[in-house]
Amino acid sequence: EALQNTGDQEHFEKSSEELGEPDGVAKIVAFIISDDASYLKGSIITRWFYCRKQLEKELKMDLLKIINELKKYDSATVQNAMILIRGYSDESADYSGPQLKCYHLKDPVVGIAVTGKVCPLYEPKSKIEFMEFYDNIGKSELPVFGILMDVEKNQGRAAIIGDVMAHMARSLGAVGMIGAGSIRDLPGIINADMPVWGTGKVPGHGPFNLIETQTEVEVAGLKINSGDLLIGDTDGITRVPLDIAEETVIKSQEVREKETKSISAYKSK
C-alpha cells in the first residue's frame, strides 16, 4: 500500500529488507497486536473467511462430482478398488455385515452420512427433539443417507424407520435411509421411493425418541460417523474414506474393466 501511495520503490525495498530482520519482525508483531492495526486485522479476517468459503464451495463441488461418478459402480467393485489403493482394511471401518438387508432399491446410492441414535421401545433418561435429525439432513448441500441406530438392549424389537419418516427425509434431500434396527411400513417406504436398509421388520414401536445426532453409530458391524461417504446397494453399505475417494473412482473403472474381461473369457469357453 505504501508503494502504491508514494511510488518510492527504493524506500519500499529498503523497508522490506529491514522488516525481514529480527527487529523488523518484532515491529510487525507489535503493530498487529496494537489498536492501530484494527483495519488490517479486519481485512485479514474478511479475506480469510472469503477464502475459506470459496475452498468449502470448491470441495463440495468436487465431492458432488465424486458422488455422481461412484453411483456408476456397485459396492463390491468400490470395495475391491479400495483394496488396490490401501490394501485390506478392518471390516468395521470398511463395509456392513450380513445382518443388514436392503428392502428397496433401484440403483446404487451414494451420499454423506447424517446420523442419529434412538430409543424406540422405552422412555430414555434424556432425549432431544427429533427435528434435529431432520434439520441436519436439510442443511446438507450434498446427497445424504439418514442413518438411525437403535440403542435399546433388545435392538430391533421396535421399528426405527417408517413410511412417514421416508417421505419427510426424501423431501429434505435424503437419497437413502439406513437402520441399525428394524423398519416397518415397507409399502409406504417404497411409495416414497426411498432406498432403505435395516436389520429386520416389525409392525410397531414404543415411545420413540432421539437421544443423539451427528455422533458415531454402528450398523451391522460398520462404524459410521457423520460426514462419512457411503455407497449402498443390495450387498450392503461400503464406506469410502474421503482422502482416497477420487482415486477410488478411477480404480473402480479399472476393476470393472478387468472383471468384465474375465467374465467374458469364462463365458466364451
Side-chain angles (χ1 to χ4, degrees):
E1 288 179 356
L3 178 61
Q4 291 177 347
N5 292 334
T6 64
D8 190 339
Q9 182 70 34
E10 183 178 349
H11 177 71
F12 171 75
E13 291 177 357
K14 182 179 179 182
S15 298
S16 297
E17 289 177 5
E18 292 176 352
L19 290 174
E21 297 173 355
D23 288 345
V25 173
K27 289 179 181 179
I28 292 173
V29 173
F31 171 70
I32 290 175
I33 63 176
S34 71
D35 293 337
D36 295 334
S38 295
Y39 79 94
L40 178 62
K41 285 183 279 190
S43 176
I44 291 173
I45 292 171
T46 300
R47 291 180 184 181
W48 180 82
F49 273 109
Y50 174 77
C51 291
R52 180 184 174 187
K53 289 295 182 184
Q54 285 296 108
L55 180 59
E56 288 177 351
K57 185 177 180 181
E58 290 173 8
L59 288 174
K60 285 175 182 175
M61 289 177 65
D62 290 342
L63 187 51
L64 182 58
K65 183 178 178 181
I66 290 170
I67 287 172
N68 289 330
E69 288 296 314
L70 281 175
K71 288 192 294 185
K72 299 176 182 178
Y73 307 99
D74 55 83
S75 63
T77 295
V78 170
Q79 203 265 344
N80 282 338
M82 292 190 293
I83 291 173
L84 297 178
I85 298 168
R86 65 180 183 191
Y88 293 99
S89 181
D90 188 285
E91 65 274 11
S92 67
D94 199 8
Y95 58 89
S96 60
Q99 307 95 320
L100 191 67
K101 302 173 180 65
C102 180
Y103 289 101
H104 175 63
L105 182 73
K106 291 181 179 177
D107 298 299
V109 180
V110 183
I112 299 298
V114 169
T115 64
K117 291 180 180 178
V118 294
C119 288
L121 198 56
Y122 301 108
E123 195 70 39
K125 293 181 179 178
S126 62
K127 58 188 176 183
I128 59 178
E129 290 294 325
F130 222 112
M131 277 307 301
E132 290 191 32
F133 173 71
Y134 292 111
D135 285 344
N136 288 325
I137 292 176
K139 287 176 186 176
S140 178
E141 297 178 20
L142 296 166
V144 303
F145 279 99
I147 306 172
L148 292 174
M149 177 182 178
D150 178 353
V151 299
E152 301 274 13
K153 184 178 180 180
N154 192 8
Q155 188 187 76
R157 189 62 184 87
I160 59 173
I161 295 174
D163 55 356
V164 175
M165 298 172 71
H167 278 278
M168 186 169 183
R170 170 65 83 182
S171 72
L172 293 170
V175 294
M177 296 193 77
I178 305 170
S182 295
I183 71 165
R184 71 173 186 176
D185 303 318
L186 185 56
I189 294 174
I190 293 172
N191 180 260
D193 196 22
M194 175 62 78
V196 64
W197 291 257
T199 55
K201 290 191 293 180
V202 295
H205 60 71
F208 189 20
N209 293 287
L210 181 71
I211 61 171
E212 292 180 13
T213 186
Q214 299 299 65
T215 56
E216 184 181 82
V217 297
E218 185 171 329
V219 180
L222 174 63
K223 294 178 181 177
I224 301 173
N225 282 284
S226 167
D228 281 352
L229 177 60
L230 307 171
I231 177 170
D233 60 14
T234 53
D235 284 342
I237 306 297
T238 296
R239 177 180 168 273
V240 183
L242 292 174
D243 60 338
I244 63 168
E246 187 172 359
E247 191 175 1
T248 298
V249 172
I250 297 169
K251 290 295 182 182
S252 292
Q253 181 60 31
E254 293 178 13
V255 169
R256 172 170 285 178
E257 291 174 357
K258 182 179 179 180
E259 291 186 348
T260 299
K261 186 176 180 180
S262 296
I263 291 170
S264 295
Y266 291 131
K267 282 185 173 181
S268 65
K269 290 183 178 180

